[in-house]
Amino acid sequence: NYKRLLDAKGRKFSFDADYFTNKENKSNAFDTRQTDLSDVLVHRLAANNFGNLNVENSSLRIDFEHPTTWAKISYGAKASLTKTSSDVAFYNLTSGTPVLDDGQTDYFTYKESTQAFYADIARDFGGKWQTKFGLRYEMTQTEGLSESVGKKNKTNYGKLFPTVYLGYV
């Protein structure tokens, strides 16, 4: 995080860079039993679900703020990238021997990249009333791949997000 006052009029510049990662490896064993009204076993399922998850996220943001005598003008840009991979293996243990269940096993990857540009104008009226008008344009690209289904989904879109509010403090 970096912030800088640009001049005596209160103009500001800020820059943020963020990165995080999360890795998890888990094993969830369970045993379920279904009985009838006489407590006779109707169905049993014993299984172990192994999951490996890896998430990486990085983002950059740059903002400018320009106060004037009639309003505060702010604008900036942000870019983010998220990568996720998930490896889930489901083993049926009911027979006593682990049997891989392909219907509940998958290796999945997902990528999302977003770029945004935004600007807003905010103004106070008499100290109690506030108003803000803004516009954000966001472009997003995604790609997901499921190896068990053998399917890749891709999207690419851009959208405008307007903001208008009036507040009383």
Side-chain angles (χ1 to χ4, degrees), residues 1-6 11-19 58-65 75-80 118:
N1 179 276
Y2 175 78
K3 292 183 181 183
R4 171 113 178 149
L5 187 62
L6 297 175
R11 289 189 276 192
K12 298 176 189 173
F13 162 78
S14 66
F15 174 80
D16 291 292
D18 295 300
Y19 174 80
S58 55
S59 65
L60 297 171
R61 188 179 76 199
I62 186 170
D63 288 314
F64 293 92
E65 188 176 298
Y75 55 93
K78 180 178 180 179
S80 65
Y118 46 87

Side-chain angles (χ1 to χ4, degrees), residues 113-150:
S113 178
T114 303
Q115 307 81 42
F117 303 96
Y118 46 87
D120 64 58
I121 297 172
R123 181 169 178 174
D124 291 338
F125 294 98
K128 296 237 180 226
W129 288 95
Q130 299 173 336
T131 188
K132 188 177 207 176
F133 300 93
L135 189 61
R136 176 182 176 100
Y137 181 71
E138 196 170 280
M139 298 164 292
T140 301
Q141 304 83 40
T142 66
E143 180 179 297
L145 171 64
S146 170
E147 287 194 8
S148 69
V149 178

